[in-house]
Structure formats: C-alpha cells, structure tokens
Amino acid sequence: TARLGSGTASSSTFLRGDNAWAAPSGGGVSLLGTITTTSGATNSLASVNLSLHNKIYFNFDQVSPATGSSTLRISINGAATMDLGTAIAADRALFGELQLDVNSNVLNFSQSSPSGTPISTGNATDGANEKNFLYQVQTDLTALTSTTIAFTWSTGNAFDNGRILVYGLK
C-alpha cells in the first residue's frame, strides 16, 4: 500500500485521486425533525441548515385543520407564506410529499386528501383529491444556514391531527 498512497488502506477507506486513503464523506438521507401537527395555528422546525442539503423532503401524514376548510401554507426563513395545493376540509386528512430543491429554489408538492381522518386500514385514496403542484421560491436557499420552516393554514385555523416528517438529502 505504500506505493498506492499515504494513510491506511482498510474496508472503511478508499484511495482518493490525490493518492491518499480517506474515509468517504457522509451522504444519503437523514431525518431533520418531526413537526407534530395536533394543535396550534403554526407548527415549525427551527435551526434547519439548508446549505448542507440539495433537497429537503416533507412527508405529510394525516395533517388536517381543526374546523372548516383551509389551504396549507409554508413559510421559509420568515418569508411570506405560500399556499400549497388545494383546500383541505376538517373531515379529510392531507397526505403527500413536498420536495424542496435547495439549488433551484423550486417546491414540488404532491397532495392527496381522502375522506375520513385518520386512515387506519385499507385503501382510502380518492383520485378526485390527488394533485401535483410546482412553486418557485424567491430566495437563495443555499445561503440559509439556520432557518425556520413553518406551516400554517390559510384561514388561521388550528391543526388537529397528524405530523410532518422532514428529511434532508445531501
């Protein structure tokens, strides 16, 4: 190995182009946090370092408003809120995925809001309430090293069910 490079060859290192043995850098997907949406008018995840990730994934699991019908909104770094998708009635639950591309500042939102909350068994998908949306975020997300991502309802309504899982992809 002395002729192959400096450092120690092992099962956890690789030979870099500069002829040095090194451990691979971290990568993949990591859970950044869980936003519980069972109460309150605003639910958020603070201290998110967007500069460390290429994409942020939000997984919506049975999120619903307490009363009436409202559109879910997102605010990144205190910027103006943006409506996501279509209105969700209190007797429905929001399931879906929001992908935030940190490099292009684009949000891609896939939404399904089947009748009844929560879903406990079986297939409750309602094809009439499945949608896909694209949004352009007007900010340089790669520069945000400690930001808050907040969710609210368009009517100021409170949350009453579900959670949002937030993942970062390097």
Side-chain angles (χ1 to χ4, degrees), residues 35 45 48 50 55-61 74 76 84 96-100 107-110 149-151 164-167:
I35 303 171
L45 183 63
V48 178
L50 294 180
K55 290 192 179 199
I56 305 293
Y57 290 96
F58 301 88
N59 181 285
F60 299 93
D61 179 20
I74 186 173
I76 301 171
L84 298 174
E97 180 180 86
L98 175 65
Q99 299 175 33
L100 171 59
L107 290 166
N108 183 352
F109 184 54
S110 299
I149 300 171
F151 291 92
I164 303 170
L165 299 170
V166 184
Y167 297 92

Side-chain angles (χ1 to χ4, degrees), residues 20-39:
W21 291 95
S25 62
V29 177
S30 58
L31 179 64
L32 302 179
T34 301
I35 303 171
T36 303
T37 56
T38 55
S39 65

Side-chain angles (χ1 to χ4, degrees), residues 14 35 41-42 51 56 79 85 105 109 133 150 152-153 159 162-163 169:
F14 73 100
I35 303 171
T42 300
S51 71
I56 305 293
N105 302 325
F109 184 54
F133 305 87
T152 58
W153 292 109
F159 289 86
R163 65 186 180 162
L169 175 66

